[in-house]
Amino acid sequence: MALIRPARPEDAAGIAEVHVASWRTTYPGMVPDSYLLGLSVPGYAQRWRRILADRSRIHGSFVAVEPPTGIVGFASCGTQRTAIEGYGGEFYALYLYDHAQGRGIGRHLMAAMATELINYGMNSAVVWVLANNPSRWFYERLGGCRLAEKIVGFAGADLTEAAYGWRDLAPLARLSADPPVR
Ligand SMILES: CC(C)(COP(=O)(O)OP(=O)(O)OC[C@H]1O[C@@H](n2cnc3c(N)ncnc32)[C@H](O)[C@@H]1OP(=O)(O)O)[C@@H](O)C(=O)NCCC(=O)NCCS
């Protein structure tokens, strides 16, 4: 059973491992292989150490921890980085190892982020997802409404991203009361 808790700077290496592994299983055929091959665990660990130590901006990060692996997933959120009117917060990242998927951990990490954003005074949020990533169904299942699309240049390719939005984060935050993660 996974425990969801706020991330700490010493979690950076475990988060980086999940980040790189999940990108490599999720994005083949969506993101250029050369980019996926070049992902570096030490590089992301350094980046996460910086992010988790930075107290100067509004930012919430959570990990899902499960024996014997340790960190099996992570999530991060903060103020909206794009300009979709009427939405204060943004879910920046949500990644799990393959073996941790489909057991309710994603739902509980979303609930933790929604609660965090509400505590920061943000009652609405968006997420950007690659338009052909099957995870978009997860966001729709959790009540996200498709709001917008944009094309972004990424690693030499043009990728289509879709935004999903929650006008009211309260129902999402209440998902933390769902049965514990299996
Ligand atoms: C997307 C992700 C975080 C979802 O987490 P998860 O723990 O697998 O999802 P949960 O078990 O909490 O599922 C919650 C609900 O969403 C549904 N769902 C999850 N993924 C789904 C999918 N790909 N297609 C359809 N429904 C899905 C589940 O069936 C469940 O529905 P239920 O309430 O009827 O039981 C996880 O699958 C993942 O890490 N995917 C790869 C990385 C990724 O794409 N991240 C998003 C980047 S924007």
Side-chain angles (χ1 to χ4, degrees), residues 26 94-96 101-104 106-107 133-135 137 139 141:
T26 303
L94 175 60
Y95 290 95
L96 308 181
Q101 294 178 18
R103 293 192 277 127
R107 184 203 332 261
N133 183 347
S135 299
W137 305 117
Y139 295 120
R141 176 74 186 91

Side-chain angles (χ1 to χ4, degrees), residues 53 58 64 74-75 105 112 117 126 134 167 181:
I58 292 177
F74 71 93
I105 297 176
L117 291 174
V126 300
R167 276 271 181 210
V181 171

Side-chain angles (χ1 to χ4, degrees), residues 3-180:
L3 165 82
I4 310 290
R5 62 159 173 79
R8 306 188 276 254
E10 58 270 29
D11 295 325
I15 292 174
E17 298 270 3
V18 176
H19 189 131
V20 169
S22 188
W23 269 63
R24 286 185 177 150
T25 53
T26 303
Y27 292 129
M30 292 184 240
V31 167
D33 284 354
S34 56
Y35 183 85
L36 297 175
L37 272 170
L39 291 172
S40 145
V41 171
Y44 273 102
Q46 201 174 19
R47 187 160 145 181
W48 276 104
R49 225 168 275 124
R50 239 188 351 258
I51 292 171
L52 294 171
D54 182 0
R55 300 262 157 241
S56 68
R57 63 198 180 109
I58 292 177
H59 182 262
S61 299
F62 296 87
V63 286
V65 183
E66 190 172 62
T69 311
I71 293 172
V72 297
F74 71 93
S76 88
C77 61
T79 47
Q80 199 208 148
R81 297 174 297 191
T82 43
I84 301 184
E85 209 178 315
Y87 293 84
E90 181 172 341
F91 302 115
Y92 298 150
L94 175 60
Y95 290 95
L96 308 181
Y97 280 131
D98 270 10
H99 70 81
Q101 294 178 18
R103 293 192 277 127
I105 297 176
R107 184 203 332 261
H108 281 263
L109 284 166
M110 287 292 284
M113 290 194 286
T115 304
E116 182 85 342
L117 291 174
I118 291 170
N119 289 340
Y120 278 127
M122 292 177 261
N123 295 311
S124 56
V126 300
V127 67
W128 285 96
V129 55
L130 284 183
N132 53 352
N133 183 347
S135 299
R136 66 190 183 278
W137 305 117
F138 164 78
Y139 295 120
E140 293 204 7
R141 176 74 186 91
L142 267 52
C145 296
R146 194 151 173 151
L147 299 175
E149 269 196 13
K150 67 178 177 184
I151 294 177
V152 291
F154 186 87
D158 285 337
L159 307 182
T160 305
E161 290 189 338
Y164 286 85
W166 289 259
R167 276 271 181 210
D168 178 9
L169 289 176
L172 210 46
R174 284 196 290 272
L175 294 181
S176 59
D178 272 13

